[in-house]
Structures are given as C-alpha cells and as structure tokens.
Amino acid sequence: MSDYIKIAGGTIHDPANDIDGAVRDIWISGGKIVNPPEDPSVKPSRTIDAHGLVVMPGGIDMHCHIAGPKVNVARKMRPEEKRKAEVIERTAITHSGTMGSVPSTFATGYKYAGLGYTTAFDAAIPPLGARHAHEEFDDTPCLDKGFYVLMGNNHYVMRSIQQNEPQKLKAFIAWLLRSAKGFAPKLVNPGGVEVWKHKQAGNVHGLDSEVDHFRVTPRQIVSQVTQAANELGLPHPVHIHCNNLGMPGNWETTLETMKALNGHKGHLTHIQFHSYGGGDGDEDTFNSKVTQLADYVNTHDNITVDVGQVLFGETTSMTGDGPLGYFLSNVYGGKWFSGDTEMEAGCGITPIKYKNKSLVHALQWAIGLEWYLQVEDPWRVVMSTDHPNGGSFLAYPQIIRYLMDRQYRKDVIKTCHPRVKDRCTLGDIEREYTLNEIAIITRAGPARILGLKNKGHLAPGADADITVYTPHENKETMFELPRLVIKDGQIIVDQGDIRHPIQGKTLHIEPEYDTGVEADIQEWFEEFYSIRWRNYPVDASYLHESEVVPGR
C-alpha cells in the first residue's frame, strides 16, 4: 500500500502557478504536494473525487489577534458576550470552547479550519508576552501559526536611532526576533505609545512629532527599522500600524508613512482605518481618501496592504496602540483596559459596535471595500478584518460576496446612512473579483508577502494545505462551508465536521546578526528590565511543533 493520496479531477485555482480553473489531479505524500508517481502501477491509498468541486490552497490570515496577553484579557472582559454566544461542545476528538468576538483557543482553531484556513498570524505580541502567546498557540489546533513582535516603541530601538547606531539597531531587531521566536517586526503607532505612557492622553500627531526623552520621530522609526529589516533579509520585513489610526484627516499621515519606507519593502496593515479625510474630530467632514492612497500604492510596488474590513455588529477592539484604546473607550463609553509592557509596548481594549446607520461606521465599511476594489494588483492587497477589531474572521465569506457580487454590495449601501454615497466612490465601482483573484487575496498573496515559499500554492514541494469547495451561485454560501479541508495531507474538516484536529506548527525566524552587540544589549537590559537577561529568550521547549522560515 502506497502512502499517496490523490485529489482527482478538481477545478484548480492556483494563481501562484498560473492555474485558473483547470481540471487536474493533485497528489499528496508525506504531508507535501508531490508529482504523480512515475510508475503507473502505483496506486494511491486514498482517492478523493473532486470532480465538479473547486480546489484552492489553504487560506492564510496574515493579520489577526488570536493569542497573547491582550487577547486573554479581552476574553475576561466580555463575560456578558460569552453567556449569549455559541458554545462549542466537546466531542471524542475535540475540546469544548466559547465564541463571541474573542473565541477561546480551541474554538479559534476549529472555526478557522471550518472556513478553509490553515495558517494565521497574530499581529502584535510584546516580546515579554511571547511565552504566553506560544502557550496559547499550543492550544490552538488545526493551524500553522506565528506572530509579529512589537518594537515601534521599544526603548533600545529608539535609543539606537537617537544615537545614530544603525548596526546596533539591526542586530537588536534580529536578536529580539530570535529571543521571542517571532516572525516579523511590528510597528504600532511608532513613538506614540511611548508618549502615551508619559502624559495624560499623550500621543504623537504626525510623522515628524518628537518622542519625549528619546528625541526621535515616528518617521525615523519607520524608515530606519524598515531599512534594517530589509538588510537582514527577513521574509516579511516590516508590518506597520501607522500613527493616527481612526482619526479624520489621517490619510496624510498614512501617505507620509508610505514615503518614509524610502523604496524598501513594507506592509501597511488594516489600511482602511488609516484612509480618512476630514477635519480633526469633525464628523461632518469625514470622507474617504482611498483613491489618493490607492493611486500611490498602485505606482509603488514596494508597498503591500491588508484591509481591516469593518462589518456591522458588535465586537471587541484590542490594539497595541494604547492611546487609541483610550480614545475608543471615550467614544463608546464602555469598559476599558490599558496595558503597559515595560520598555516595549502598550495596549488598549474596549468593546465597540459598528452600526450601518452611523455615517462614520458606514463609511468605514465602504472604505474597506474601496481598498479591495481600487488596488489594481490583487497580489498587493490582502483580505483581513483585523480580527476582531473590524469584525470576526468568520465574516470572510461575506466579504468575498461583497467583492464578487456588485449588486449585493449596492443593495447593502442602500441600507446605510444616506450620505455615505456622497463621501466615497464605492457606489460607482463596477469591478467584481474572480475566483482566482479571491484565491490571491486569501492565500497566494499573503504567502508571497510573508515569504512563505511552501504555502499558498499547489505545486510539488508545497505543504499539503488544501481546501475543497462546493460551487454555489451565492459565494458567501460557497465559502462559509468547505466540502473538505486538508492540513499537512490529512483531512481535518469534512463538510463542517472536525475529523482530525492536528496541532499545526509555529512558524518563526532565526536571522543572523552581529553577536558582538549582545554585550551592549545585556548591559542596558540588566539596568532597566524587571527580569534577568538570561531568563528573557523563549526556550525551545515552548515550541512543540515548529519550523524556521528562511530569509529572502
């Protein structure tokens, strides 16, 4: 008996290999996609009949919040939501769990897999919280996982920039990523969180505001971290949450951030929240500036974005942007949590509700869809809700329907605040996505942007992470219940039922650096941190299944 599995006769959408709806077979062995056996007498041990079904690589969510300290606090903050939410019942092979806007760990893994997703990245982990994130990853089945390491307000980063020591900065970035067993540098409101820690309602207000004490600017942090990360050859050089998130008129800050990359590769995340025109704090002038920003992205191929789509309903905002959390808690008047991670980062958490009759919320919804539809190259825009900030990852099938069915989105516009049509271009856009373009923005594109050469495609050598869909005229119906989900060559979901909840791997990087800088880092560390230098790096025992992703 061979160890081959054959997916026979499926309609393949594999844009990374220029396959758009061709009927082909896929062979799997040892958890990988392989060439068919040369010996025609070799038969597969199992054949999956996929005739009439759509076959894509497993989905990749490159920006979500599913683990770590802030996620755990958010779960504790919303008991009223947990009481009403769907309960995930325990079975002979699965754990119980809870849903709501911040699902429990096991429920997160099962629900992602149930949508056809096989890889997800948490977008904001403070290095001191790395152990917590890895432990929660160990309880999040069915997915390969990784996280981005917060460093936009890290004291050593800002000190290295202040003292004009780019080699120290580069070595520290690599050391920090290795110590946390993280995947990429993350900049959140660079410099602004540090100011928030020093002043009541403090923040920076543009790329050229000065950060107290360190006397550096957000522009310097963005430019120099981006340059250092690119010189290190990281698979995903830098993931940026710009300054002034959510503020009217913030599009100019976003445009300046794009320019501050100086031609280096960089990814701007939840770009929807950073694309607003209008006067400071003036709702009456709030409008979309997607056209201006998308024009810049369309002409600068060093920039990629994910959207951070807003969906109408209740959710929980959680962010490494401490001052933003405070702002939102004042707007919505609900519970609020603010965290301060020494030397490294902060965070804010508060419940929010997006209403279609609110002009601001309806515009946020429309601005997100404008981004998908105005970026000309789908390889450079990625589907995200910034789960749970814009909405749950469970809304991805609905977003797909918005993109593939222009009449549906026009019908929804009619239910929104009447002035939305005058403040954005969404109602005039006729573009509809194809299945291949959906495959790009949900799997092939994020794999390429993240430098994951074994994911997001179906050629020999790729991880056998595969989703099989039953075609349906209503694309929301099609994508919310895959026929089969295969992870590492094993069927983990069959028509919505979890069959084999395998653990999945933790993806991290180990960039090389000048170890001669460690003495300086250690001296600084021992002077200021509350824990000892030798106890800081995450031990390998925290990663039960892992893979080191090579640099570019």
Side-chain angles (χ1 to χ4, degrees):
M1 180 72 71
S2 75
D3 67 348
Y4 287 105
I5 298 173
K6 178 182 176 183
I7 302 175
T11 302
I12 310 296
H13 289 273
D14 180 14
N17 293 297
D18 295 324
I19 301 173
D20 181 7
V23 176
R24 296 188 182 176
D25 299 336
I26 293 176
W27 289 76
I28 298 169
S29 180
K32 298 285 187 180
I33 295 171
V34 298
N35 287 312
E38 294 182 1
D39 182 351
S41 67
V42 174
K43 304 297 181 186
S45 58
R46 178 170 185 175
T47 298
I48 298 169
D49 183 2
H51 288 88
L53 303 178
V54 170
V55 180
M56 293 184 178
I60 299 173
D61 193 342
M62 72 175 294
H63 186 106
C64 57
H65 300 279
I66 58 173
K70 67 182 182 308
V71 174
N72 217 30
V73 170
R75 291 182 182 121
K76 295 174 183 174
M77 279 181 67
R78 305 301 309 277
E80 74 285 358
E81 194 186 47
K82 295 289 184 185
R83 292 189 194 105
K84 298 181 293 185
E86 175 190 0
V87 174
I88 306 299
E89 301 285 355
R90 183 185 182 95
T91 72
I93 59 169
T94 62
H95 292 258
S96 60
T98 59
M99 292 301 294
S101 58
V102 194
S104 58
T105 51
F106 287 98
T108 297
Y110 302 147
K111 289 295 184 179
Y112 260 113
L115 281 185
Y117 276 71
T118 51
T119 304
F121 284 83
D122 189 285
I125 299 295
L128 271 170
R131 283 182 176 79
H132 186 157
H134 285 301
E135 287 175 336
E136 287 203 274
F137 278 176
D138 205 36
D139 277 352
T140 308
C142 303
L143 297 170
D144 288 343
K145 300 145 292 232
F147 63 73
Y148 311 145
V149 177
L150 290 169
M151 57 180 77
N153 294 275
N154 185 291
H155 287 196
Y156 195 92
V157 167
M158 291 188 286
R159 192 182 77 160
S160 299
I161 293 170
Q162 178 198 42
Q163 297 177 352
N164 193 26
E165 295 186 297
Q167 295 307 314
K168 279 188 179 177
L169 173 63
K170 186 161 66 174
F172 180 75
I173 291 170
W175 174 82
L176 195 59
L177 288 165
R178 290 179 72 111
S179 296
K181 295 200 166 29
F183 189 81
K186 175 71 181 295
L187 306 182
V188 171
N189 187 4
V193 178
E194 179 60 22
V195 177
W196 159 251
K197 294 180 181 182
H198 288 271
K199 296 178 180 177
Q200 184 175 5
N203 200 349
V204 295
H205 298 289
L207 265 285
D208 298 310
S209 298
E210 194 168 84
V211 180
D212 297 342
H213 178 66
F214 293 98
R215 300 176 62 188
V216 300
T217 65
R219 188 186 301 276
Q220 288 175 293
I221 297 170
V222 169
S223 295
Q224 296 191 36
V225 171
T226 299
Q227 179 175 341
N230 275 270
E231 289 176 357
L232 285 166
L234 305 183
H236 184 55
V238 65
H239 199 91
I240 302 173
H241 159 145
C242 299
N243 304 96
N244 290 333
L245 186 151
M247 300 297 128
N250 67 5
W251 77 280
E252 294 180 286
T253 303
T254 306
L255 184 61
E256 288 302 308
T257 305
M258 292 175 178
K259 293 177 180 176
L261 298 177
N262 296 325
H264 295 296
K265 286 188 177 298
H267 182 87
L268 272 61
T269 189
H270 40 63
I271 191 73
Q272 175 277 131
F273 289 112
H274 304 274
S275 307
Y276 307 151
D280 185 17
D282 185 358
E283 180 174 323
D284 288 338
T285 61
F286 194 67
N287 66 86
S288 169
K289 291 295 182 183
V290 174
T291 298
Q292 290 84 344
L293 291 172
D295 282 349
Y296 191 88
V297 171
N298 286 333
T299 54
H300 293 78
D301 61 10
N302 62 308
I303 300 171
T304 55
V305 301
D306 67 84
V307 170
Q309 179 67 42
V310 157
L311 284 306
F312 301 123
E314 187 172 343
T315 188
T316 304
S317 169
M318 60 177 71
T319 174
D321 191 339
L324 173 67
Y326 174 68
F327 172 79
L328 291 174
S329 72
N330 282 329
V331 170
Y332 292 97
K335 307 176 207 178
W336 170 51
F337 173 86
S338 182
D340 176 355
T341 307
E342 56 181 291
M343 312 296 178
E344 296 183 344
C347 83
I349 305 168
T350 193
I352 57 177
K353 186 173 184 178
Y354 297 109
K355 302 174 182 177
N356 63 336
K357 296 301 184 185
S358 159
L359 175 59
V360 171
H361 296 167
L363 268 169
Q364 289 179 306
W365 169 82
I367 287 169
L369 295 177
E370 282 186 299
W371 267 106
Y372 293 111
L373 297 164
Q374 292 203 32
V375 173
E376 295 167 356
D377 181 359
W379 288 94
R380 293 171 53 214
V381 59
V382 173
M383 181 176 293
S384 76
T385 59
D386 186 18
H387 165 83
N389 288 302
S392 169
F393 63 83
L394 294 171
Y396 288 162
Q398 186 181 13
I399 299 172
I400 290 171
R401 186 180 178 195
Y402 284 134
L403 299 180
M404 298 189 72
D405 183 346
R406 62 175 173 266
Q407 188 57 51
Y408 174 57
R409 62 178 184 254
K410 288 183 177 183
D411 290 343
V412 174
I413 291 174
K414 294 175 184 173
T415 70
C416 295
H417 192 287
R419 283 189 284 169
V420 165
K421 295 191 291 292
D422 303 326
R423 304 288 183 90
C424 70
T425 63
L426 183 62
D428 301 322
I429 299 176
E430 298 295 322
R431 180 180 176 185
E432 292 180 327
Y433 268 55
T434 65
L435 274 179
N436 231 41
E437 288 176 320
I438 293 297
I440 292 172
I441 67 171
T442 56
R443 41 268 284 170
R448 181 176 292 182
I449 293 168
L450 292 166
L452 299 174
K453 296 177 181 175
N454 296 335
K455 294 191 179 296
H457 70 95
L458 300 173
D463 292 346
D465 297 349
I466 301 167
T467 307
V468 181
Y469 296 101
T470 303
H472 195 284
E473 182 180 358
N474 183 329
K475 296 302 183 288
E476 184 173 351
T477 300
M478 172 178 169
F479 280 91
E480 68 186 3
L481 185 63
R483 176 66 185 84
L484 289 174
V485 183
I486 298 169
K487 176 87 189 76
D488 293 331
Q490 302 179 67
I491 295 176
I492 60 171
V493 179
D494 185 344
Q495 200 68 40
D497 293 329
I498 301 293
R499 296 298 189 196
H500 188 48
I502 64 174
Q503 176 55 34
K505 302 184 290 287
T506 296
L507 305 173
H508 66 108
I509 61 173
E510 293 185 347
E512 299 296 326
Y513 65 98
D514 175 10
T515 56
V517 177
E518 286 187 356
D520 186 71
I521 300 173
Q522 181 175 1
E523 181 180 356
W524 166 78
F525 197 97
E526 298 287 14
E527 183 175 1
F528 295 112
Y529 263 85
S530 64
I531 70 170
R532 304 301 302 269
W533 155 271
R534 65 175 179 271
N535 296 328
Y536 189 72
V538 175
D539 186 84
S541 64
Y542 277 82
L543 282 62
H544 297 164
E545 299 285 341
S546 66
E547 177 180 322
V548 176
V549 175
R552 291 182 184 271

